[in-house]
Amino acid sequence: MSRIDPLLTVRSLAKSFGSNQVLRSVDLDVPAGTVTTLIGPSGSGKTTLLRCLNGLETPDAGTVAVDGGPSIDFGGTVDRRTLGQLRDRSAMVFQHYNLFPHKTVLENVIEGPVVVQKRPREEAVTDATALLDRVGLAAKRDDYPFSLSGGQQQRVGIVRALALKPKLLLFDEPTSALDPELVGEVLSLMKQLAGEGWTMVVATHELQFAREVANEVVFMDGGVIVERGAPAQVLGSPREERTRRFVQRLTHPL
Amino acid sequence: MTGKDLSLVIESFWPITQGAILGTIPLAIVSFVIGLVIAVVIALMRLSKITIVSGIARFYISLVRGTPLLVQLFVIFYGLPSIGLTVDPWPSAIAAFSINVGGYAAEIIRAAILSVPKGQWEAAHVIGMSRGVALRRIILPQAARVSVPPLSNTFISLVKDTSLASTILVTELFRQTQEIAAFSGEFMILYLEAALIYWIICLALSAGQNRLEKRLDRYVAH
Ligand SMILES: Nc1ncnc2c1ncn2[C@@H]1O[C@H](COP(=O)(O)OP(=O)(O)OP(=O)(O)O)[C@@H](O)[C@H]1O
Ligand SMILES: [Mg+2]
């Protein structure tokens, strides 16, 4: 864990949709083995930032570098292969899980390793089974996603991401589509992953998770990073008025 | 119904059914399979971001759906020879029906592809798939499920539409009936018999459609 050599480095990242400037010069450093949580009001650009890191969106300008990969400069034209290198280093966990409904739990997990990464099928199955076992879903291996609860589906979503062996895990509000009583099982799995040294960037409204698990909390508003720092500082005694009001609203909604 | 009528119905049943087995059914199946291939290609072209490509697909669909099938059939069988291109009845019929199914099914398949949630494309991207692989392994299987009911209806329509091939001398169910009717002069009874046989075939196909849908439903919540 060294602050000098971050696993993810983002500089001056910008992205617009038409005339809507969603990200304005975002800088971000994520050291290996740390958890960064992105918080901020709806529309502040959290999802867009995560999507840019994974190549789901192509930024208009700025650079992104992930562990050992090239520092990709989006100021110029970026070809598909370079974008592919960015994508292959990270894996996204979606708010709505986005499991493949026509594939069983196991098939969902091994699809990437076998079809894309060309790993031997038996090896992929062994790995996937071990991962599913770890998250308590070994018994659901051959079930289709529709028969699983939201919390179970999201845990499969996380396993599907882990099976790709990425350097960086990206989570876009992984618990906000869940019934409240199912949030805990997903958050505790994420906490466990953080403990194992996974590098994670997590957009979330779960301040409790940010407090307990994050190394750094980043508060975004209007496409810029307004404030960042240790959870206790940003959530406990924010320097910026906008941060203070946001945290206040989340902590005391009424 | 007199005894004479009844014995005519019984006597003609086998020749008419033969027309169905050797004409109507193979004509419908072959045309449908070729038509589906055309339809997938046209649907993908229609979804292309390249304007010329989607334009060609749009033109094809518009032309096929905006002209009567009978006219399409006549253009191929009676029209082409006048520019020196003679095509036999069977290939003419298969060409016309395939082209026709291609136009209608393309819109069904396009709608089915669009009905697959965007998140499925995104999940495929995240696990590293190219667009082509995502289409083949993730999107089309889900689109297939959605398009089974409308495509079944297209197939059932096609089975009935093959009766038009009688006008270009293809020996199928209806032409067979016409010949027996002309010979015996018993039009009413024989055409009703033909209608009944078409109906039975369509009922069987509907039953098959239901079973297929149930099977495909196994991974969808009820
Ligand atoms: N594909 C798109 N096309 C056009 N505008 C978009 C697109 N995606 C996002 N936006 C816009 O970008 C802005 C930021 O959206 P984004 O989803 O990144 O915010 P967010 O911080 O994730 O919000 P939330 O908490 O609601 O998820 C919004 O104004 C949104 O309307
Ligand atoms: Mg969002």
Side-chain angles (χ1 to χ4, degrees):
Chain A
M1 236 195 261
S2 116
R3 289 263 156 193
I4 304 139
D5 194 18
L7 185 128
L8 168 70
T9 311
V10 177
R11 289 288 172 271
S12 313
L13 201 72
K15 175 72 183 171
S16 302
F17 294 108
S19 61
N20 184 7
Q21 237 195 319
V22 177
L23 296 178
R24 312 159 188 251
S25 195
V26 169
D27 294 343
L28 191 66
D29 290 292
V30 178
T34 66
V35 177
T36 301
T37 55
L38 304 175
I39 62 168
S42 181
S44 56
K46 305 181 296 290
T47 296
T48 306
L49 175 57
L50 288 173
R51 291 168 61 89
C52 284
L53 300 181
N54 189 241
L56 274 169
E57 301 285 356
T58 309
D60 303 328
T63 63
V64 177
V66 184
D67 184 63
S71 174
I72 301 168
D73 186 353
F74 290 98
T77 48
V78 178
D79 61 45
R80 223 185 262 188
R81 269 197 48 189
T82 318
L83 265 184
Q85 286 185 297
L86 183 60
R87 172 190 66 189
D88 293 346
R89 287 182 162 73
S90 61
M92 173 94 92
V93 174
F94 297 95
Q95 182 174 358
H96 296 285
Y97 338 127
N98 298 1
L99 298 181
F100 305 128
H102 60 303
K103 294 186 180 293
T104 63
V105 165
L106 180 70
E107 288 166 347
N108 263 274
V109 177
I110 64 172
E111 184 75 7
V114 172
V115 175
V116 182
Q117 299 178 347
K118 309 284 182 211
R119 288 169 47 201
R121 197 188 158 84
E122 288 97 275
E123 183 192 308
V125 170
T126 309
D127 284 4
T129 310
L131 283 170
L132 287 170
D133 193 28
R134 255 202 48 192
V135 304
L137 290 175
K140 301 286 181 186
R141 217 182 86 134
D142 299 316
D143 291 0
Y144 285 94
F146 77 86
S147 65
L148 271 54
S149 74
Q152 291 171 333
Q153 290 193 47
Q154 189 59 297
R155 282 185 280 153
V156 174
I158 292 172
V159 167
R160 181 173 68 179
L162 295 177
L164 299 168
K165 306 195 171 173
K167 304 283 184 190
L168 177 64
L169 286 173
L170 307 170
F171 294 82
D172 188 12
E173 300 198 27
T175 58
S176 53
L178 295 175
D179 290 339
E181 79 272 18
L182 301 178
V183 168
E185 63 190 64
V186 171
L187 289 182
S188 72
L189 171 58
M190 290 168 61
K191 186 173 174 180
Q192 210 180 316
L193 295 175
E196 286 167 22
W198 285 89
T199 312
M200 301 162 44
V201 180
V202 184
T204 186
H205 290 298
E206 300 289 338
L207 295 190
Q208 188 57 34
F209 175 82
R211 249 179 229 116
E212 276 184 43
V213 181
N215 300 82
E216 183 169 53
V217 174
V218 170
F219 173 68
M220 293 179 69
D221 195 9
V224 296
I225 293 178
V226 175
E227 181 165 0
R228 68 178 99 207
Q233 182 261 305
V234 176
L235 302 174
S237 50
R239 276 189 285 270
E240 299 287 332
E241 176 62 18
R242 273 192 283 178
T243 318
R244 200 190 56 74
R245 265 190 313 215
F246 177 76
V247 173
Q248 177 85 31
R249 260 204 315 276
L250 271 199
T251 331
H252 305 287
L254 291 181
Chain B
M1 207 155 75
T2 66
K4 191 170 139 274
D5 288 343
L6 189 65
S7 69
L8 180 63
V9 167
I10 293 167
E11 261 171 51
S12 60
F13 183 78
W14 178 238
I16 296 177
T17 305
Q18 227 177 354
I21 295 169
L22 298 177
T24 302
I25 292 169
L27 188 55
I29 290 174
V30 172
S31 305
F32 191 68
V33 170
I34 299 173
L36 275 188
V37 174
I38 297 175
V40 172
V41 173
I42 295 291
L44 293 177
M45 286 173 65
R46 178 82 171 71
L47 290 167
S48 166
K49 287 195 188 81
I50 305 165
T51 329
I52 307 167
V53 174
S54 68
I56 293 171
R58 231 182 253 265
F59 174 77
Y60 177 93
I61 292 167
S62 167
L63 190 67
V64 166
R65 307 216 307 177
T67 55
L69 178 53
L70 186 59
V71 175
Q72 293 164 13
L73 207 55
F74 272 42
V75 167
I76 291 173
F77 185 70
Y78 295 111
L80 288 184
S82 60
I83 58 164
L85 244 174
T86 306
V87 190
D88 286 340
W90 264 87
S92 293
I94 288 174
F97 293 135
S98 304
I99 289 170
N100 198 265
V101 167
Y104 282 91
E107 285 294 74
I108 292 171
I109 291 170
R110 183 180 79 101
I113 290 174
L114 290 176
S115 78
V116 177
K118 234 181 79 210
Q120 292 292 307
W121 284 104
E122 299 184 343
H125 166 98
V126 167
I127 66 171
M129 285 183 171
S130 64
R131 283 185 69 83
V133 176
L135 187 71
R136 191 162 49 78
R137 295 195 53 92
I138 306 299
I139 305 301
L140 284 181
Q142 294 182 58
R145 165 66 196 89
V146 180
S147 52
V148 163
L151 284 180
S152 306
N153 292 336
T154 304
F155 184 65
I156 290 171
S157 296
L158 174 65
V159 168
K160 293 179 288 179
D161 286 345
T162 54
S163 61
L164 292 173
S166 63
T167 62
I168 63 162
L169 318 173
V170 173
T171 314
E172 42 66 72
L173 192 161
F174 192 56
R175 180 153 188 95
Q176 200 77 335
T177 314
Q178 281 177 310
E179 279 170 10
I180 301 168
F183 184 75
S184 67
E186 293 291 345
F187 295 100
M188 186 61 172
I189 208 86
L190 284 164
Y191 288 159
L192 282 178
E193 185 180 359
L196 182 70
I197 295 174
Y198 275 116
W199 191 27
I200 291 169
I201 294 172
C202 289
L203 285 176
L205 289 173
S206 296
Q209 173 184 356
N210 283 336
R211 289 186 51 171
L212 183 60
E213 281 174 32
K214 286 224 175 69
R215 235 179 69 99
L216 287 166
D217 259 345
R218 71 187 187 281
Y219 58 77
V220 184
H222 299 280

